[in-house]
């Protein structure tokens, strides 16, 4: 099956992107704020108990993130003037209102992230998915005072209809498609602009620690190396660097120490734009939309 969401557009053929204030890299940090159900399996550190009901080991390991890890992350990001774009399960709003209040005080952006990461968005009918998306956005708006402009599916899951339904509900950017270093427009059936924004499945603590088996030191080096290359390329064509984080992983002290080292390194450079998802997409649409649409159409 061939999708029709966008045309192939090699970055080497695009008109160079100029970021605000002559920045080379837009740094986009995404804390995933998630709620997990006690009796359902999800991300696990130990497979031996992952199928049990209840699975106390893995459930309580994930629960560390909302009880401790996210608070350590918030202090660290505040120290380096980094405003998070939180990928927010809507159930977090009722389960952990203290996190919502703290994020509001830090002026974080809120990005829809489904209801819970115990339930993926797949194999559901269009009408049901439409209701789910609306409920998520309504809940987040009621809790935070702001309706999300962005969306990240739980585990980056979608149906064939998801981008269309998201745009119908006012979503302006989508982070599920991990295939670029710059935003680009996607085709949706109502013809309104929906932008893909660079998210990463590799510059991501889930895959780094649980799939690749990296140490915290290796994760730090990966962040530094990713930044160094994008920073050099950004001299002539601006790039977006996403850092995708989960408080139940990176929020542990022995890991967070190395995230802070990476933040210190990155923010010590000139020409780094500390941005939220909406700021990146709004600027990109204003400054480069015509260039991008023309290039995507060729």
């Amino acid at each position: 099956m061939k999708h029709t969401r966008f045309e192939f557009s090699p970055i080497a053929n695009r008109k160079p992107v100029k970021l605000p204030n002559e920045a080379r890299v837009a740094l986009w940090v995404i804390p995933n704020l998630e709620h997990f159900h006690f009796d359902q399996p999800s991300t696990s550190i130990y497979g031996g108990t992952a199928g049990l009901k209840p699975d106390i080991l893995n459930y309580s390991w994930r629960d560390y993130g909302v009880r401790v890890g996210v608070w350590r992350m918030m202090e660290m990001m505040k120290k380096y003037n980094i405003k998070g774009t939180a990928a927010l399960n809507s159930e977090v709003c009722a389960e952990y209102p203290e996190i919502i209040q703290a994020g509001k005080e830090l002026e974080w952006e809120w990005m829809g992230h489904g209801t819970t990461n115990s339930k993926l968005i797949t194999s559901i009918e269009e009408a049901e998915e439409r209701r789910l998306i609306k409920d998520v956005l309504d809940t987040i708006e009621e809790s935070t005072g702001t309706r999300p402009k962005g969306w990240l599916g739980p585990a980056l899951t979608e149906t064939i209809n998801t981008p269309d339904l998201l745009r119908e509900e006012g979503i302006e950017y989508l982070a599920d498609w991990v295939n670029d270093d710059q935003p680009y427009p996607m085709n949706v059936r109502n013809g309104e602009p929906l932008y893909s924004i660079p998210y990463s499945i590799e510059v991501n603590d889930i895959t780094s620690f649980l799939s690749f088996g990296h140490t915290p030191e290796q994760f730090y080096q990966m962040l530094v190396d990713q930044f160094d290359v994008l920073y050099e390329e950004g001299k002539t064509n601006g790039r977006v660097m996403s850092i995708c984080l989960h408080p139940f992983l990176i929020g542990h002290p022995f890991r967070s120490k190395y995230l802070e080292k990476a933040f210190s390194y990155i923010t010590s450079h000139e020409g780094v734009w500390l941005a939220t998802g909406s700021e990146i997409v709004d600027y990109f649409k204003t400054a480069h939309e015509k260039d991008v649409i023309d290039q995507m159409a060729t």
Side-chain angles (χ1 to χ4, degrees), residues 91-152:
E91 289 184 2
V92 169
C93 298
E95 297 291 337
Y96 319 115
E98 296 90 344
I99 294 176
I100 301 298
Q101 182 58 36
K104 289 169 64 176
E105 292 172 2
L106 292 169
E107 299 182 329
W108 281 14
E109 182 180 348
W110 309 102
M111 179 166 60
H113 191 39
T115 55
T116 167
N117 263 49
S118 295
K119 182 178 181 181
L120 305 183
I121 297 178
T122 182
S123 301
I124 58 176
E125 295 298 322
E126 182 172 342
E128 180 184 356
E129 185 177 9
R130 179 179 283 108
R131 286 192 297 270
L132 182 153
I133 291 170
K134 186 177 187 306
D135 287 347
V136 168
L137 300 179
D138 287 349
T139 299
I140 294 175
E141 182 177 20
E142 181 179 356
S143 178
T144 68
T146 305
R147 194 168 187 83
K149 294 183 178 181
W151 183 273
L152 175 73

Side-chain angles (χ1 to χ4, degrees), residues 162-172 188 190-195 285:
T162 302
D164 303 313
L165 299 177
L166 290 172
R167 191 66 192 98
E168 289 173 13
E169 282 295 330
I171 290 296
E172 298 178 12
V188 294
N190 71 3
E192 297 178 353
L194 176 70
Y195 268 73
K285 287 192 295 185

Side-chain angles (χ1 to χ4, degrees), residues 13 20 47 55 72 76 90 109 166 172 177 223 245 253 272:
N13 292 358
D55 174 14
R72 185 171 287 124
M76 183 191 310
S90 60
E109 182 180 348
L166 290 172
E172 298 178 12
W177 295 69
L223 296 179
L245 304 170
V272 178

